[in-house]
Amino acid sequence: MAEGLETEVKTNPQGDVITTTEAPKKEQKESKAAKQRVVTPEHLFFEAPRTKTFITGSEAAKEAIRRANVDIAISYPITPQSETMQQVGYLYAEGYLKDYYRGEEEYGVMSAVAGASRSGVRALTATAGPGLMRGMEVITSWPGGRMPLLLMVMCRVINAPLAIQPDNVELSYLLNCGILVFHAENQQDFYDFPLKAYVIAEKCEVTLPAAVAVDGFFVTHARGWVELPPEDIKLPPRDCYHEAVPMMDNENPPARLSRDAPIQKSNFISYQMHASWQQEIWAAVDRARPWVKKYMGGLIEVVNPGADTMIVASGSAVSQSREAVRQASERGDRIGLVKIRSLRPWPTQELIEACRHAKRIIVPEFNCVGWLAKEVRSTLYGHTQAEIVSGPRVFGGMSMPTELILEYLYKTPNEARLTDKPLSI
């Protein structure tokens, strides 16, 4: 070979350098994954010492799965989810998961992970944007099957013109199918929420699938400070024999393919049976509330309670709103903020209590349709005299500068620059 020839550098279609990680040797697998200790959820969440590290959201999710005692992960790659599940693949190589494979497409993935969960193992999948839409037919059947699996959603644009940029309109489709939905604000949430979602979803009185959503790229590909407990501890395994419905029985043929015959034979049963089953699903969603309060610190977080002007937000819009609140405080103005952690169960009473006094409420969102503002309006109807402003809203991958939120705080939306003070102050 002639001297001076450059080493070939492989890149993906976006021009990013493709890196590979060598699979660890067998001895290494056994020395780390096999030596993890099972601890109580309370110890893992609240008592174990934590070390602060600066990592991406995808790496934070990887660290959560490392400690989640997951049996199987199944996924199909789609941007921006791919990087997270690539990280999970490293965990499989290191021996932290018993099985992991790529499905043929999202419909098949959502079906396969449902089968895994029905058999009693702790199952994981993840998707984004159009992938979520493709799998929705199967996802909406999960709650009826009472499968406490975890779905991670890295939100992106779903509508044309096609784009891979952050936009969380897809979450509006998840809100009414009976699945638990938690919306992570930052990298720390994207570590904490998956672990806690498993524990909540697997409670006997809940036994439902859970989704942990995050705004793609803003969190998945950006670095932030995350406090992590030691990696040699993990959650207890799924206790499938203490859940609301029995597992699929593969030991006694013919295998019982459904948890309960009426679920899969709704054409032959009374409408009342179907109705009562659906009512039970939503009652189970409601029964998750005390566990969300215990493990996640409540369905909402309130900053500056009692302020006349309140911002209500979820996901990355919370981080931008925090900064807007800080900048407003430098002007001497006290602005409140409600962070919604749990979209399902929805924090009805908590939101009423936090906003009952308000004179003006602003709801910033990363989507076109304003689904969060609609939820807030329907909840507060009849409970407040406040003006509820749907916005600012950005979508299609736009960022939300804090100046935009401040503009809504210091101007009337339709008559710009009429005031330099919040309308409620």
Side-chain angles (χ1 to χ4, degrees):
M1 296 290 287
E3 293 184 1
L5 285 180
E6 296 181 357
T7 305
E8 181 184 5
V9 177
K10 295 182 179 179
T11 62
N12 64 15
Q14 290 75 39
D16 301 322
V17 176
I18 297 174
T19 59
T20 58
T21 299
E22 184 180 356
K25 294 182 169 53
K26 185 177 180 181
E27 295 76 19
Q28 188 179 352
K29 289 182 187 179
E30 294 174 350
S31 65
K32 290 188 176 180
K35 290 185 177 179
Q36 274 191 311
R37 293 180 296 114
V38 171
V39 297
T40 64
E42 289 76 11
H43 180 79
L44 184 63
F45 299 158
F46 309 120
E47 300 166 2
R50 293 200 173 202
T51 303
K52 207 170 182 181
T53 182
F54 195 60
I55 56 178
T56 67
S58 293
E59 291 168 335
K62 172 189 177 185
E63 294 306 316
I65 302 308
R66 185 195 302 278
R67 296 159 176 81
N69 209 346
V70 173
D71 293 296
I72 184 171
I74 309 168
S75 67
Y76 183 77
I78 184 169
T79 304
Q81 165 259 33
S82 305
E83 183 167 308
T84 302
M85 294 312 289
Q86 181 182 10
Q87 298 286 335
V88 173
Y90 295 156
L91 291 178
Y92 172 63
E94 295 168 10
Y96 288 94
L97 280 73
K98 297 182 180 67
D99 203 357
Y100 179 43
Y101 70 89
R102 192 188 84 169
E104 294 185 358
E105 39 69 49
E106 287 83 0
Y107 194 97
V109 165
M110 304 310 167
S111 302
V113 77
S117 185
R118 281 174 183 269
S119 71
V121 302
R122 185 169 289 162
L124 165 73
T125 190
T127 191
L132 180 73
M133 294 296 99
R134 186 174 175 82
M136 275 302 292
E137 180 182 347
V138 183
I139 292 171
T140 54
S141 74
W142 290 349
R146 308 303 293 268
M147 307 164 197
L149 58 88
L150 176 63
L151 166 68
M152 292 195 293
V153 182
M154 296 69 165
C155 298
R156 60 166 274 192
V157 169
I158 62 172
N159 35 25
L162 181 63
I164 62 171
Q165 300 301 324
D167 184 314
N168 60 34
V169 68
E170 67 198 85
L171 292 185
S172 62
Y173 293 86
L174 273 182
L175 297 181
N176 297 307
C177 61
I179 192 171
L180 307 178
V181 183
F182 307 118
H183 200 180
E185 173 192 352
N186 49 33
Q187 291 82 2
Q188 182 70 62
D189 282 354
F190 208 34
Y191 165 77
D192 288 324
F193 284 11
L195 287 161
K196 296 176 179 179
Y198 270 125
V199 174
I200 296 167
E202 292 174 7
K203 291 296 179 184
C204 178
E205 64 270 42
V206 181
T207 315
L208 286 175
V212 173
V214 71
D215 295 312
F217 292 109
F218 292 145
V219 177
T220 55
H221 288 59
R223 292 182 184 274
W225 289 107
V226 180
E227 295 184 347
L228 299 174
E231 64 180 38
D232 65 344
I233 57 177
K234 62 182 178 181
L235 288 176
R238 177 181 170 187
D239 187 2
C240 62
Y241 296 104
H242 291 84
E243 293 178 351
V245 292
M247 299 305 100
M248 182 169 63
D249 186 354
N250 288 322
E251 301 297 327
N252 299 291
R256 190 179 182 186
L257 295 179
S258 65
R259 297 280 185 85
D260 192 292
I263 301 175
Q264 301 298 332
K265 298 178 181 176
S266 59
N267 288 339
F268 307 105
I269 64 173
S270 73
Y271 301 125
Q272 287 181 329
M273 177 69 81
H274 185 92
S276 62
W277 193 263
Q278 288 300 309
Q279 288 168 347
E280 160 56 18
I281 291 170
W282 285 100
V285 172
D286 202 52
R287 292 195 295 268
R289 291 179 186 279
W291 299 112
V292 177
K293 292 176 183 176
K294 175 178 180 178
Y295 290 121
M296 302 182 77
L299 284 73
I300 65 172
E301 172 194 341
V302 182
V303 177
N304 291 336
D308 287 346
T309 298
M310 301 293 292
I311 302 174
V312 180
S314 68
S316 295
V318 176
S319 293
Q320 298 305 98
S321 299
R322 287 187 197 277
E323 177 60 15
V325 169
R326 187 194 66 78
Q327 293 179 24
S329 69
E330 291 181 344
R331 302 188 186 196
D333 298 323
R334 186 171 183 268
I335 305 296
L337 169 63
V338 177
K339 169 184 175 177
I340 297 181
R341 297 189 181 100
S342 175
L343 297 172
R344 290 293 182 273
W346 174 252
T348 304
Q349 197 56 43
E350 291 88 345
L351 195 59
I352 290 172
E353 293 300 322
C355 296
R356 189 193 302 276
H357 66 280
K359 297 177 181 175
R360 192 159 189 256
I361 298 168
I362 295 170
V363 189
E365 295 184 67
F366 280 94
N367 65 79
C368 177
V369 300
W371 54 262
L372 182 60
K374 293 173 184 174
E375 295 277 326
V376 172
R377 286 179 185 277
S378 62
T379 301
L380 297 181
Y381 181 79
H383 296 281
T384 180
Q385 297 298 315
E387 175 194 12
I388 301 176
V389 180
S390 179
R393 296 204 300 267
V394 295
F395 37 92
M398 296 180 186
S399 60
M400 184 184 292
T402 54
E403 291 80 1
L404 188 59
I405 301 175
L406 290 168
E407 192 172 288
Y408 270 66
L409 290 173
Y410 287 94
K411 298 174 186 175
T412 55
N414 299 320
E415 301 175 66
R417 301 188 184 285
L418 289 184
T419 177
D420 61 355
K421 300 290 286 183
L423 296 184
S424 58
I425 294 178

